[in-house]
Amino acid sequence: MTSVEEKNTFFRDLQDNEELMTEILGGSVDLVKRRITFHEHKNVQALCYYTDGLADVTHIEQFISDLLYKGNLLLQHATLPTDNPLTLLKEHMLSSASFQVIKEVGQAVDGILSGVAVLILDGSNDVFLIQTKGWEKRGVDEPQTEQVVRGPRDGFTESIRTNTALVRRRIRDPKLRIEQMTVGKRSKTDVNIAYIGDIVKEGLVEEVKKRINDINIDAILESGYIEELIEDAPRSPFTTVQSTERPDKVASSLLEGRVAIFVDNTPFVLVVPSFFWQFLQASDDYYSRWMTGSFFRAIRYLAFVLSLTLTSIYVMLVSFHQEMIPTQLILTIASGREVVPFPVLLEALLMETAFELMREAGLRMPKPVGQAVSIVGSLVIGQAAVQAGIVSPFMVIIVALTGIASFAIPNYAASFSIRLIRFPLLIAAGMLGLLGFSAMFALLAIHALTLRSFGESYLAPATPFQPKDQKDSIIRFPWWKMQARPMGVTGDEKRVGDNQFPEPPNTDPYSDEAGNRDEDNQKGRDQSKRKKSRHIIKLKGDDEE
Amino acid sequence: MKRQASWSLLLIMILLVTGCAGKRELNELALVMAVGIDKGEGENAFKVTAQIARPADARGQTGAPSGQTGEPIYTIVGQGESLFDAIRDLSSISSRNVFWAHNQVIVISEELAKEGISQVIDFFTRNPELRMRTWIVITPEEASTLVSTVTGLELIPGEAVNKLFRYGKISTVAPNTQILDVQAAYLSQSSQPIMARVTLKEVMISNKKPEKGPTIKQVDLAGAGVFKEDRLVGILKPEETRVLMLFTEGLQSGVVTTACKDKPERTIGVELRDQMFEVTPHLKDGQISFTAQLDAYAMVVEAGCPFTIDDQKQVAELEKAIEKELKKEIDTTVDKLQKEYKTDVIELGKVFQNEYPGYWNQISDNWAEVFPTVDIKAFVNVEITDSVLLWEETNSGKKENSAD
Amino acid sequence: MKVQISNGMFFALIINMIYAKAIGVTQGSMAREIGGDIWISTLIATVQGTVIMSLVIFVIRRMPEGDLIDQSERLFGKWFGKFVALITFIFFLAAFGPIMSTFIFHLKDYFLPEAPILLFICAAFLIGTYAIFFGLEVIARMALIGVFSIIALNILLMLGTLPEFDIRELRPTFQMGFIKTVWASRHHNADWAMATIMAGIILPMVGDKKSWGKMGFAGIAYGMVFVIMWPILEAGVLSPETAAQYIVSCMQMARSAQIGYFVHRYEMIMVAFFALSMLTQIMMSLLCASVAMQKILGLKDYRKVIIPTALILSTFGYWINFNKNRAVDFLEGWWVYISVGVAVVLPMMILVLGFFFKKKLKKKIVAEEAK
């Protein structure tokens, strides 16, 4: 082994090289070694290594037959015996795009393991790398976790190249940079960092690279590994790194000056820095009309509040502050609870656990079975448990509402973290009533306030309050209003030009502008500016009168 | 960081362990819907009657089938030296904790009210479990009888009385007195408390024996009791209460019925709306007087004799008649309060204080003696503006025959 | 390491610092003295508060790197600095009593009458220490949310009580005479004193020096707008006599608020909004006390003294509030004199002494810069 480690470059002799490669690669069945002989008389030999399944075999066959043909021709016509056959080959084969000459052993081994074919010729310490990567992969599919009604249907796949291409197709800007990194001592996973050079916040890319470089781990199997190793608040239930399956989401994040981290073998791409409110925003908001978009967003904010607090508030009201419930309602609740043997807190925990169980079971089961689970679950929990007097009908409604609200949160990671922090809130509210609820809520709020994601406050732009960024927080302003990129972007701060408010040409026959229609059309967008200035002049005139 | 985390965890644990303080499960509570307060047996004793709802019977089956008694309320009586004592007595009877926050109405017997209710006011405003928006009424009956009477369409009588107050705006026969108002008036230097009055009346006809006429007693909300400080000193009839409410609540609407000019046996009814009522104090040579001006628009809602709004003369006459009627009502009521009950429940002191604070400070201490002597003049101005849907007079089509 | 907060946060902190106690407890105290004129008294107090606040801003501006304690230390050396720090500590120690009273009177008396007082002290201790461990910025951001919740609370209350409003209760003005009205303003002055001394401690950490004055006044003005609604409504809706009757009159009003006939019994929502401002007050007084403690002991970082300081303050808060008579007597008597006394005398003293020893101060600054 020592010789292998010391050895950086290939030998001149093919025999030595063969031994070297055997020593490094061992006898894995998926590693294929093929011996090629050029020109029987001169007996020039070559070895070709590749990994079965990762490399495209037809491509290799094609290449080898090409090589044999050309090699034979070359060797026949080689006048000078001193001519390096390799140099000759190289010169003649360079027409092929996927062809590279290297010297280092390590590079060759990495190449073989990532699907490249390596050709070692006798009598040369240069070896060929032939780009023959080609393996079975899933096609571009609709994202499973983030679906939209209106918007592109393509989602990321497990192949990093496909993923970067999906983003590149959306932003054909030379300033969109995608940088290569490799993480994992054994897995050697490709990690790509994408950003738009003149928009991204200063220092952010360096910070991301630094954090990724600092990772020391044997293997990266999913972007979750990276997320956990680079996030700012590792002990927090909140996710400070956004993961998404949607290329359009990544593209829009890049345009807002953020950095995307692509990881090979997973369709989940990480985006940093991320903000809490972002998790409540769906792509639909931006694709549907702004009023509907804002309305749906408002519904989602409501869903967030409900899923976080509804159960706790119910428990708190029913077991501590009965005076806060309207009389009519409390009689109804009381009649439902008449035979329930448990305290409300226990009842709530019971139902929440049952709900989580059903959700988890439905998720893990194959789809047809999953449906059965949900039918049985909802029947048992919804009907039988109430009939049996174990839970009150009101509690079923509350827990179901909470569950549905948590499903309305578009980001799964965020939905899960809200699900988690709901439990301390519930227990505190059930133990200490309003005091417990408000104290726990305050603790959670303080905790969330201290969080940062790659230098940005997690709860921005709500707090610290950034008036300029409010155009994309509670209400999604129409695009002709949302001119600036979010704060913290360096350079090119405007994303929408001036006077984008669409105005059709004036067709009102009674307007004095009707005659100037053609002129207006020609002047295009200047129209509105002109109109405004005329308006001002008129006002001045009035004053004079 | 780690130490801090464990610290906070420890503290949370301590909090949680000491927790559950003040926790009461909903199904461990006896929700009081109405409470009656009577004089108890013996000196200074109170008798407290609590009307408690049985949720399962009041709402029917909502969850698992539970045993039902068919009786939505459960009324129990407690006695004690003090109100608190009497309420403690209740909890030794009730299987669940007596819970007061949903109490809708406090009924005080007139017998007790005549002796003074300051203790009741104090108790019901001091206790955090009791709401300030609870109705407070007096009754000539035993409060315990009234509280245990099933009344109204609601299953729980407390709710029925609550709705009686809320939707009683149409009849305007009793003031909307909540414990909040009574407390404020009692504490105030310049006004006196009033309370709505309820009685039991045989007005409901039994479905089983309709031929016997109304035999079942129901709670009737009408009239008001006027207080001097904390003692009940007099009762106002419903029509007098209407005048009282003009002074205290800025009553917007009302109904006046007056006899027809031509046929005195028939009547015309008008509904008053957008009433504007203003009391102006005057001070002249140390002599206090008030003028009360009532402006209202009226709508003819019923005519026993032919009436059209088109006939200006007829309209003017009717307006006069109504004005006279209203003035008489105001004068008699004010007179009764001044001469008979000698208590300023119509907030004249407050009006005067606003206008003449300096002079008020001199007389505030003996306002009670001054009030019966002040002169109050009422002016009424009514304008008939509407005759609802009809324009023509309601006359028999066989006019010629009837005319002869 | 130096923490910076924006001017907007400073503004929010001022509002939160005065709001919680001013709307309920203070109004009750004032109503007991002057009845329906509580709103005039509140206005007068605000004017006085503005004067003290501008004094403090002026003093700090002279030497914008250090707070009141640092400045006095530079003027007369270490021991004088420690003396001022001790006074500040006592101020916030005393302040913690009324603050906890407000917290307990609202939450315990109206929502959890059976829970022990210790529980409320523990909750305040826990939240307070947790928050100030992360420093001023977090509290300041909380205060920003607090301002929004104050607005929401005011709107909710206004919706629920305006129909019951009776202007006659507010008239006539100056019922008890002008002097008495001015004298009663001391109760609200005590609230302003808290904001003032807080400003004296945190001003050096506020970002934009130039707009300190502007933001300070904006804070006072908005604070007044948010607060003044309460005395007017309390007198007009509850009647001054009822307001005087209760320890926490605002809660009584919140309890009787109803929007239409069907939306009532919603004081809990209002208290939830109120709690944010309340907690900000608790955190700030703990923070300022810890900073003072740190300066007394001459430590580099106030984090080390958080727990002992909070323990001292909590013990005091517990002792004061164990007996309601003691609590109310303290917040209407001693606390008013301590707070107004310190808030007026301390900046005034530093200001006057600063004038006399201007040269010395300048020399010191030059010398320090030379270092």
Side-chain angles (χ1 to χ4, degrees), chain A residues 94-114:
Chain A
L94 271 182
S95 57
S96 169
S98 51
F99 192 82
Q100 203 186 342
V101 182
I102 54 154
K103 279 187 163 63
E104 279 91 32
V105 182
Q107 224 174 331
V109 171
D110 282 351
I112 292 166
L113 294 177
S114 61

Side-chain angles (χ1 to χ4, degrees), chain B residues 238-269:
Chain B
E239 58 272 18
E240 291 164 341
T241 311
R242 220 151 30 211
V243 175
L244 178 73
M245 284 163 81
L246 274 178
F247 281 92
T248 56
E249 288 183 25
L251 199 65
Q252 290 273 315
S253 60
V255 179
V256 178
T257 312
T258 175
C260 284
K261 209 180 171 222
D262 306 333
K263 295 181 186 166
E265 75 281 5
R266 298 280 180 86
T267 54
I268 272 190

Side-chain angles (χ1 to χ4, degrees), chain C residues 16-155:
Chain C
N16 277 285
M17 204 64 186
I18 59 144
Y19 186 78
K21 180 171 164 278
I23 62 166
V25 183
T26 306
Q27 302 304 342
S29 308
M30 294 203 292
R32 278 187 273 284
E33 286 182 23
I34 48 162
D37 292 331
I38 43 181
W39 64 281
I40 302 174
S41 203
T42 308
L43 269 184
I44 293 171
T46 311
V47 174
Q48 294 160 335
T50 317
V51 175
I52 318 175
M53 183 67 87
S54 39
L55 195 70
V56 166
I57 293 175
F58 180 78
V59 168
I60 300 281
R61 210 177 243 167
R62 234 170 24 188
M63 200 200 265
E65 286 78 40
D67 52 31
L68 277 181
I69 305 169
D70 293 339
Q71 197 169 104
S72 43
E73 190 181 327
R74 295 228 193 125
L75 274 173
F76 296 110
K78 208 166 110 190
W79 290 104
F80 186 70
K82 279 192 198 288
F83 172 67
V84 172
L86 184 69
I87 288 179
T88 322
F89 178 76
I90 291 172
F91 178 86
F92 282 104
L93 176 69
F96 202 69
I99 289 174
M100 279 320 291
S101 302
T102 316
F103 187 57
I104 290 169
F105 292 168
H106 277 84
L107 262 83
K108 179 178 150 49
D109 292 357
Y110 286 94
F111 293 97
L112 297 160
E114 272 142 62
I117 290 175
L118 191 63
L119 210 61
F120 294 86
I121 303 278
C122 279
F125 176 85
L126 185 72
I127 299 168
T129 46
Y130 183 69
I132 63 176
F133 191 83
F134 293 105
L136 180 62
E137 205 196 340
V138 169
I139 307 174
R141 286 213 243 147
M142 189 102 167
L144 270 182
I145 310 173
V147 171
F148 287 113
S149 65
I150 285 172
I151 293 172
L153 163 58
N154 278 3
I155 290 173

